[in-house]
Each structure stands twice: as C-alpha cells, then as structure tokens.
Amino acid sequence: MSSQSHRAGREGLAGILENPVVGMAPWIVFGILSGPGRFEIAVGIALAVTVVLIVAGRWTHPGSSWKLLEFADLVFFGGLAIVGAVADAGTLRWLETYSGEISSLALAAIAFGSMAVRHPFTLAYAREQTDPSVWDSPQFLRANQIITGAWGLAFLVGALAGGYGDLVLHDPDNLWTAWVIPIIALIAAVRFTLWYPEALRARALKAAGQPGPEPPGLNALLAPLAGLLVPVGALVLIFEDGLWWLGVALIVAGVLATKSLRAAT
C-alpha cells in the first residue's frame, strides 16, 4: 500500500508539473511581488520556487533533461540574488524600481526567441502530456507556438505597463501599471493556456467523428476574464479617490458581461 501511495503521489505531482503554467510560477511570483522595498523578498521567493520545481521535476521524471524554462529560471533569479547581495544602495534602488520590467522583458525574449528557432518553451511541457506520435506534427508545433506567443505577449504587456508607470508617471506602485494591467495579462495567458489545448482536442475528436465534448468557444475563454472587471472595480473604489463612478461601472460591466458570456456558452 505504501508503494502504491508513493507511486500515486509521484504521478499526481508529475501531472501538475507537466502544465506550463506551473513552469511560469517563479516569474509570476516575482512579477507580482517585485517593487520598491520588496526586491530581496521577491527574488528569494522566486528562486525558492524555482529550486522546488526543479527538484520536484527530477523526482517525478528521473533522468529527464532540463527544460529551457528551468534553466532560464535558475540563471536569472540566481543571478539577481547574487547581484542583490553585493549591490550598493543606489544599485539596489534601481533594481527595486526596474526589476519587474527587466524580468518581463527577459521572459518575453525567451518566449519569442524560442519561437524564432521553432522550439517554443511550452513544447517540453506539452510532450510530457501527449503521445510521442504527435510530437513532430506541424499542428503540434503550431499549437505550442501560439501558446508560447500568448505568454510572450502577456509579459511584453506587463513590461510596457510597468515602464510607463516608472518612466512616465514616476509611480512604481501605480495601481494600473504595476498591478491591474500586468496581472490581468498574466491571468489571460493562464486562461488561454488551459482553454486552447482543450479546444484543439475537442475539435480533433469532432473532425474524426469520435465521441467527445463540444469544442469550447470563445465565450468559455472570455467569461472568466470578464469576471475580473468586478475585483478591478472594487480596487478602484478602495484606492482611487474621486473615481467611484469608474469602480461602479467596472463592477456592473463585469457582472453583466460574465452573465451574458456564460449564458451564451
């Protein structure tokens, strides 16, 4: 029984680690936590998450090769931790201000660079979840190019928003540029990563005349994103003085849009 439980636990953990969303966890954590006065904490937690994921990956897949994202995680956050430990006060202030944009641009470069050499970083995760017979198919590569592109776009949006807040607004903790826009972009990428493969599998079954669920439409993708307008509206009511009307409008729009999209789904 103990051996069976051990095997079941390893297989369950492997299923979690095979999702590229989990592989993005260190970057997501760092992107959310980084900011003035939080550099060391953000780097430390992101590096710790990286090490945990690498160790867990080797335990669930003994002898497996390194994924591009694992290597990038370790080099980037390990390097930032070393720089932060030896940096003077001025350099540390600069890192606290711009480290979020730097990390977002680095990951966008990894995403678009891996797409340019036709080896998108999500490919390693997708291969762990699919039959080897489809690994070399053009459709499989194209699907991973699209998913990787969604992540690259999300981090590029976050970098541009953060840069606007830092360089134009001179407000690194601006509600919109430091929090709302980057986090919504990340959630959209997460949602797309979950929705797109499901839609492709359902369409393939339908095209082959095999039984299966109906392919989820765009409504299924957009409904959870529309629901984000409600918490954003609540944040506006709490933190944006004088913009209560915008907060109320966002909440109402979120409720109505979510209800409409779910009804259509």
Side-chain angles (χ1 to χ4, degrees), residues 28-196:
I28 295 173
V29 167
F30 185 74
I32 293 174
L33 295 180
S34 62
R38 301 188 299 270
F39 176 78
E40 295 94 335
I41 294 176
V43 171
I45 294 177
L47 184 59
V49 172
T50 295
V51 173
V52 169
L53 290 178
I54 291 174
V55 172
R58 301 289 83 76
W59 181 67
T60 55
H61 297 89
S64 61
S65 58
W66 281 62
K67 298 181 177 72
L68 172 62
L69 202 55
E70 290 177 333
F71 180 76
D73 292 351
L74 194 59
V75 171
F76 184 81
F77 294 115
L80 277 187
I82 294 172
V83 171
V86 300
D88 56 30
T91 302
L92 196 57
R93 282 194 300 272
W94 188 89
L95 287 171
E96 289 176 346
T97 302
Y98 298 108
S99 59
E101 290 87 89
I102 293 172
S103 66
S104 294
L105 287 174
L107 192 55
I110 292 170
F112 294 131
S114 67
M115 291 173 64
V117 298
R118 298 185 64 77
H119 194 83
F121 71 77
T122 59
L123 204 59
Y125 297 93
R127 284 177 173 173
E128 293 177 343
Q129 305 177 61
T130 54
D131 190 274
S133 62
V134 305
W135 288 0
D136 297 322
S137 69
Q139 295 85 354
F140 187 69
L141 175 61
R142 181 174 180 272
N144 280 278
Q145 289 276 67
I146 291 173
I147 294 173
T148 299
W151 279 104
L153 183 60
F155 277 89
L156 183 59
V157 168
L160 292 175
Y164 184 82
D166 292 338
L167 300 174
V168 178
L169 301 179
H170 303 291
D171 182 7
D173 256 341
N174 180 270
L175 175 65
W176 296 96
T177 60
W179 299 98
V180 174
I181 295 175
I183 290 176
I184 287 180
L186 289 176
I187 293 175
V190 170
R191 182 58 193 160
F192 182 80
T193 301
L194 299 174
W195 171 85
Y196 188 61

Side-chain angles (χ1 to χ4, degrees), residues 244-265:
W244 63 268
W245 56 271
L246 178 59
V248 172
L250 287 172
I251 292 173
V252 172
V255 171
L256 294 178
T258 303
K259 184 177 180 179
S260 176
L261 289 169
R262 286 180 176 173
T265 301

